[in-house]
């Protein structure tokens, strides 16, 4: 965890949405900003010593257009800071290994860009076959659920 520095934790905090609702801990961005240096020092020490433990997220369900509900986890503010910092470190390590046509969960890439690339590939390249898979249904077939 030596790549997770005080500076990175501070940058991660600054990168969070300032107007977002408080997390499961009830702490807002503005609340955390008060005494930021001390808070970051304590958080960094907990991460480096292995004492840091994420709080359990609160599960809420938001309605989708089709009438179904989508689960959403509400994390604590410090958990968001640590998640952002660790994501930054891991992206720097693994980004070079991704292929150019990989779009899933990559910074600066979206499902819309993936669809644009697919359209160009189908209409401007010679395509013999295409597949569509669903991770959820693949897991169900493996687990029998």
């Amino acid at each position: 965890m030596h790549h997770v520095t005080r500076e990175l934790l501070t940058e991660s905090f600054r990168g969070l949405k300032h107007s977002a609702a408080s997390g499961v801990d009830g702490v807002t961005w503005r609340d955390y900003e008060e005494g930021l240096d001390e808070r970051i020092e304590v958080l960094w020490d907990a991460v480096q010593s292995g004492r840091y433990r994420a709080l359990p997220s609160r599960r809420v369900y938001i309605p989708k257009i089709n009438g179904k509900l989508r689960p959403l986890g509400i994390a604590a503010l410090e958990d968001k800071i640590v998640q952002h910092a660790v994501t930054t470190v891991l992206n720097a390590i693994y980004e070079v290994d991704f292929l150019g046509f990989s779009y899933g969960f990559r910074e600066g890439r979206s499902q819309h860009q993936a669809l644009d690339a697919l359209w160009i590939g189908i209409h401007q390249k010679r395509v013999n076959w295409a597949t569509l898979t669903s991770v959820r249904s693949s897991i169900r077939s493996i687990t029998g659920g």
Side-chain angles (χ1 to χ4, degrees):
M1 295 301 287
H2 64 279
H3 293 298
V4 177
T5 63
R6 293 172 188 88
E7 294 77 19
L8 180 55
L9 290 171
T10 301
E11 288 172 25
S12 296
F13 167 74
R14 299 263 183 234
L16 296 177
K17 191 184 283 186
H18 302 185
S19 60
S22 62
V24 69
D25 55 356
V27 178
T28 66
W29 191 93
R30 300 271 180 232
D31 295 337
Y32 200 86
E33 187 179 32
E34 295 177 20
L36 179 62
D37 292 338
E38 296 80 21
R39 290 178 187 265
I40 291 294
E41 182 65 32
V42 170
L43 178 59
W44 176 82
D45 185 57
V47 169
Q48 295 304 315
S49 68
R51 290 181 291 107
Y52 174 78
R53 295 291 181 266
L55 292 175
S57 294
R58 182 176 69 235
R59 177 72 64 183
V60 296
Y61 293 88
I62 57 174
K64 293 170 61 176
I65 294 173
N66 65 5
K68 293 183 178 183
L69 295 175
R70 182 168 75 93
L72 185 67
I74 309 295
L77 186 70
E78 282 194 335
D79 297 341
K80 292 178 191 178
I81 295 169
V82 173
Q83 289 168 9
H84 189 277
V86 171
T87 298
T88 300
V89 170
L90 293 177
N91 281 344
I93 294 168
Y94 291 109
E95 183 64 26
V96 296
D97 293 333
F98 284 112
L99 299 175
F101 56 80
S102 175
Y103 287 83
F105 300 102
R106 290 178 68 194
E107 180 119 5
R109 301 220 175 189
S110 70
Q111 65 271 29
H112 302 292
Q113 291 171 320
L115 290 172
D116 289 344
L118 179 63
W119 189 92
I120 289 170
I122 289 172
H123 289 90
Q124 296 180 4
K125 307 277 184 199
R126 185 172 163 211
V127 176
N128 292 325
W129 52 268
T131 64
L132 176 64
T133 60
S134 166
V135 172
R136 180 174 288 143
S137 61
S138 297
I139 290 172
R140 277 193 206 123
S141 68
I142 293 169
T143 62

